[in-house]
Amino acid sequence: MAVSCEQLVVGHHQAPVAGPITVTVSPGRVCGLIGPSGAGKTTLLRTLAGLNRPISGTVHRSGAVGVLAQHPRQVANPRWTLRKIISEPARIGGTVADVDTAAATAGLERALLDRFPGQVSDGQLQRACVARLLVQNPPIILCDEPVAMLDPIASGVVIEAVEELSVAGAAVVLASHHQQLVRRRADLVIDLGVAATGR
């Protein structure tokens, strides 16, 4: 398994917002998270990533975690070109990234690679973040409202690229307010408005 949790309760300062949840997301599968604002989607993702401590329950991860955030400007270094943003995971891993191929797969024009985040749109920057995931190729991918700020065309490109990573063997958890999108793309859907169990 790539990521799983058992009887997981998440929240803030010991105040529960979601759970208990038991789920296993296997390699090549997509788990969708839906629910109203405040239902705990982001908190659950942060807990699965190891950034938040659970109130109770356990989380198991079998590999590195890649995150696709709702607001790419919050996670992209404004002093780096898109090319450097995309290639950074490979540099850390001691390998050479095929940035051009990753950018093309993510729908990002090659001419934009030498621009800085402040010189591109939110959609273009989000595509650069997707290309970074493609370079990183992590076994676990957590997506927090990745298309909330994008137009339909950009949204389609981002979701298709994430699906490509899933087909290649990544376990994907996709949180979104777009219930139709989640239900259409996910193998399993968890509604955080209720306690859920799924495999």
Side-chain angles (χ1 to χ4, degrees):
M1 75 186 115
V3 61
S4 67
C5 60
E6 186 171 352
Q7 293 297 303
L8 183 66
V9 177
V10 301
H12 306 286
H13 307 295
Q14 296 302 306
V17 297
I21 299 165
T22 296
V23 65
T24 296
V25 187
S26 303
R29 307 283 283 179
V30 178
C31 173
L33 301 180
I34 60 174
S37 296
K41 296 186 295 295
T42 296
T43 304
L44 176 56
L45 288 178
R46 288 182 58 84
T47 305
L48 292 177
L51 300 175
N52 285 11
R53 294 183 63 181
I55 291 177
S56 61
T58 58
V59 175
H60 301 281
R61 293 176 295 274
S62 60
V65 176
V67 177
L68 189 59
Q70 176 179 355
H71 302 288
R73 298 192 188 282
Q74 293 180 357
V75 296
N77 190 324
R79 298 182 179 180
W80 289 359
T81 64
L82 300 194
R83 183 179 297 278
K84 184 171 182 180
I85 288 171
I86 294 168
S87 65
E88 186 65 6
R91 186 196 67 79
I92 293 173
T95 61
V96 177
D98 187 348
V99 173
D100 289 347
T101 299
T105 301
L108 184 67
E109 297 176 17
R110 185 175 181 179
L112 299 177
L113 291 175
D114 293 319
R115 295 187 185 182
F116 294 89
Q119 298 173 317
V120 299
S121 69
D122 287 338
Q124 290 165 337
L125 186 56
Q126 187 70 306
R127 293 182 191 194
C129 291
V130 171
R132 179 173 58 189
L133 275 181
L134 292 168
V135 166
Q136 182 183 1
N137 194 26
I140 303 167
I141 299 173
L142 306 178
C143 303
D144 189 6
E145 299 282 0
V147 300
M149 301 175 62
L150 308 183
D151 60 56
I153 293 177
S155 296
V157 171
V158 168
I159 293 300
E160 286 176 8
V162 170
E163 285 184 329
E164 182 171 316
L165 286 163
S166 173
V167 170
V172 176
V173 183
L174 170 64
S176 178
H177 287 296
H178 300 283
Q179 291 196 21
Q180 289 185 344
L181 169 69
V182 172
R183 294 188 184 281
R184 188 170 64 249
R185 305 284 184 164
D187 302 298
L188 162 72
V189 177
I190 297 176
D191 186 344
L192 292 184
V194 297
T197 298
R199 291 190 182 276

